[in-house]
Amino acid sequence: VRAYKVYDCKVDPNQNDKSTEIKLCTFKRPHMRAFHCSWWTFFVAFFIWFAIAPLMPEIKKTLGLTGQQAWTSNICSVAGTIFMRFLLGPLCDKYGARLLMGFVLMGASIPCACTGLVTSATSLAILRFFIGLGGSTFVMCQYWSTSMFTKEVAGTANALVGGWGNLGGGVTQIVMGTALFPLFKLGMSPEAAWRTVAIVPAVVGFATGFTILRISDDCPKGNYKDMKEKGIMPEVSATSSFRDGALNFNTWLLFIQYGCCFGVELTMNNASATYFKETFELTTESAAAIASIFGWMNLFARGLGGFTSDIFNRNMGMRGRLIWQTVCLLIEGVMVLVFASTNSLGLSIFILVIFSSFVQAAEGSTYGIVPYVDPPSTGSISGIVGAGGNTGAVCFGLGFRQLAKTKDAFNLMGFTILGSAALTFLVSIKGHRSILCGEDSEAVKAAWQKSGQTITKPNNKDEFDDNA
């Protein structure tokens, strides 16, 4: 019993009718509709999350903030999401991603619309804390795509929806800092402009959250609520799911590594515009445009990282995914150290492109591994690992806040990333070979070598069965 009589994508019935292919140019339910809703919703959430970042030079001037006070607000913007990611992971296992995604995005849109009401460093920090809760939509983004696509293509699917969603961090630098802010300044003062411009992304965010609740599905066979009522899906304990995910040692290794890639991206989203403005004496608009480059790399880099992880998996199994993960983190760490020592604007931009590409490739690679750790607890593990990204951002943010020299903060970040790369050698997933030892089980080997049989169901139409 399922909601759809036929599927537009080829599916594997042994993996709950998950799609074995990604057809980017279609919006048909359930697989590709969920795919596109997932990345777009996370994109809007990311846009809202960092809408204030390119405006920070103006906000600092208006409120008379010190550098430490500005960094306190940056830290608050990523700290609130940590708890939410822990919480929403097991809730995804229980309720699915769609409902949680919509409600969290609508909730985050409300404080975003209130940006113009801040009057002090404290109110700014509190506001950004609540806006930052929208960053937890990442958990639903990854869980949703994992629910729709088989493990063999999960690396690519998760990386694409995550990467295109993260792209919001780059687009918000351009749209808010270089387009909307100057546009609003044409008819009002700079202070009035930054106090009103955030209403635009807030309206888009609320509308997006409401819309996806109406037009998409929880999983290939329909919505969790309907499936439970029909007896085709067992009731899931969120507590049990979280316990199983949290007690798996691999979860925490990936937690640290994700903190050293996504945590770095969040830190750069907060820091880069101000860094380029102050270091190279640029205007707010120019600094925001250059800072947006980091986020724009998400257009391809995270997807490429996940795709490469899938290729390594097809040739070497899990060992291949782990090797690629190590390579990404090593190159990322080296690029941070080089970036910290660069005094030329042109060279800094060039290094920023390489640096950003491998940050996001490592993110895609990480979530190519997550679905294998403990499949029944994927939601909880996705949430815990995702929380690692925000935890890393808080830790690196504290480095920038407390250290007198920005270069020292970058060096601290670079050496931490290099150290995290070594943790891949400790990852050992049941049934899979690690980098140094072990063997793949026969079933696992058959899967990645494609020697096992997979039944697929191609079709030519998308049809909803109201009587299913």
Side-chain angles (χ1 to χ4, degrees):
V1 180
R2 62 175 190 258
Y4 291 87
K5 292 179 180 178
V6 290
Y7 298 115
D8 187 61
C9 297
K10 296 178 181 179
V11 303
D12 183 353
N14 296 319
Q15 295 191 48
N16 294 316
D17 288 356
K18 293 181 181 181
S19 176
T20 62
E21 59 183 352
I22 303 171
K23 301 172 71 173
L24 294 178
C25 295
T26 180
F27 193 62
K28 291 186 176 181
R29 301 172 78 163
H31 302 92
M32 295 312 300
R33 178 73 61 85
F35 176 92
H36 289 298
C37 285
S38 178
W39 78 259
W40 172 250
T41 309
F42 184 45
F43 174 95
V44 175
F46 220 103
F47 192 105
I48 288 173
W49 193 3
F50 290 100
I52 290 178
L55 307 175
M56 278 303 292
E58 300 295 332
I59 296 174
K60 285 177 65 177
K61 186 187 302 182
T62 300
L63 302 182
L65 304 180
T66 65
Q68 282 201 337
Q69 288 173 325
W71 266 106
T72 297
S73 81
N74 289 341
I75 292 168
C76 286
S77 74
V78 296
T81 309
I82 297 175
F83 171 74
M84 287 293 287
R85 290 193 177 196
F86 277 114
L87 175 66
L88 291 170
L91 290 180
C92 280
D93 287 324
K94 186 174 181 65
Y95 299 109
R98 178 181 58 92
L99 292 174
L100 298 172
M101 179 77 95
F103 287 128
V104 170
L105 181 57
M106 287 190 288
S109 300
I110 296 171
C112 180
C114 297
T115 297
L117 302 179
V118 298
T119 57
S120 65
T122 301
S123 60
L124 177 64
I126 293 172
L127 179 86
R128 297 195 72 187
F129 176 89
F130 284 105
I131 294 175
L133 298 181
S136 61
T137 51
F138 171 76
V139 177
M140 287 77 86
C141 168
Q142 296 295 281
Y143 184 88
W144 209 352
S145 62
T146 300
S147 298
M148 291 290 178
F149 297 92
T150 62
K151 289 190 290 185
E152 288 71 35
V153 296
T156 303
N158 286 350
L160 285 173
V161 296
W164 291 353
N166 284 1
L167 183 60
V171 175
T172 198
Q173 299 278 355
I174 286 285
V175 174
M176 296 297 288
T178 308
L180 286 180
F181 178 64
L183 183 63
F184 273 56
K185 279 200 304 181
L186 293 177
M188 58 186 75
S189 67
E191 179 180 350
W194 73 254
R195 287 188 181 277
T196 55
V197 70
I199 294 175
V200 176
V203 171
V204 174
F206 197 92
T208 298
F210 179 78
T211 301
I212 64 123
L213 294 175
R214 311 288 297 177
I215 67 170
S216 53
D217 310 281
D218 291 335
C219 67
K221 294 182 179 180
N223 292 327
Y224 281 18
K225 180 181 178 182
D226 297 333
M227 293 168 64
K228 290 174 182 177
E229 289 176 351
K230 295 170 183 175
I232 59 176
M233 178 181 179
E235 190 65 49
V236 176
S237 168
T239 303
S240 176
S241 170
F242 182 80
R243 181 182 64 248
D244 292 343
L247 291 178
N248 193 309
F249 183 60
N250 298 305
T251 300
W252 297 102
L253 295 175
L254 295 175
F255 173 95
I256 296 171
Q257 291 189 326
Y258 199 62
C260 289
C261 50
F262 188 60
V264 172
E265 179 173 0
L266 295 180
T267 302
M268 291 301 293
N269 283 341
N270 275 322
S272 51
T274 301
Y275 172 77
F276 279 106
K277 178 179 173 64
E278 295 179 351
T279 302
F280 299 103
E281 299 180 349
L282 304 176
T283 64
T284 298
E285 291 82 359
S286 297
I290 294 172
S292 73
I293 294 173
F294 197 98
W296 277 104
M297 293 300 103
N298 275 296
L299 189 62
F300 71 91
R302 183 163 182 155
L304 186 60
F307 178 70
T308 305
S309 180
D310 285 344
I311 291 177
F312 272 70
N313 179 67
R314 285 197 289 272
N315 291 281
M316 303 172 66
M318 179 54 64
R319 182 168 178 261
R321 290 191 187 274
L322 295 173
I323 290 173
W324 174 239
Q325 174 89 340
T326 306
V327 169
C328 288
L329 289 168
L330 286 174
I331 297 177
E332 175 195 341
V334 170
M335 287 299 102
V336 174
L337 297 176
V338 174
F339 181 79
S341 301
T342 304
N343 297 316
S344 162
L345 177 60
L347 187 57
S348 289
I349 295 172
F350 176 73
I351 297 299
L352 184 72
V353 171
I354 302 174
F355 164 29
S356 176
S357 296
F358 280 95
V359 166
Q360 288 140 23
E363 294 166 7
S365 174
T366 301
Y367 273 84
I369 298 170
V370 165
Y372 291 85
V373 176
D374 184 5
S377 302
T378 295
S380 295
I381 294 170
S382 180
I384 293 171
V385 174
N390 291 78
T391 303
V394 170
C395 293
F396 293 136
L398 287 171
F400 278 90
R401 183 183 186 276
Q402 298 301 124
L403 295 174
K405 295 181 179 179
T406 302
K407 181 178 180 179
D408 292 339
F410 275 118
N411 286 335
L412 173 65
M413 189 160 67
F415 285 117
T416 303
I417 295 166
L418 292 175
S420 75
L423 297 179
T424 315
F425 291 92
L426 302 178
V427 175
S428 180
I429 299 173
K430 185 178 180 180
H432 297 270
R433 182 180 178 182
S434 66
I435 288 184
L436 298 178
C437 60
E439 291 292 335
D440 291 320
S441 67
E442 290 303 317
V444 167
K445 189 177 294 185
W448 66 262
Q449 291 180 343
K450 293 188 176 180
S451 59
Q453 293 184 347
T454 300
I455 302 173
T456 60
K457 301 177 182 178
N459 72 97
N460 296 315
K461 62 178 181 175
D462 183 31
E463 191 175 309
F464 191 76
D465 180 9
D466 290 322
N467 298 317

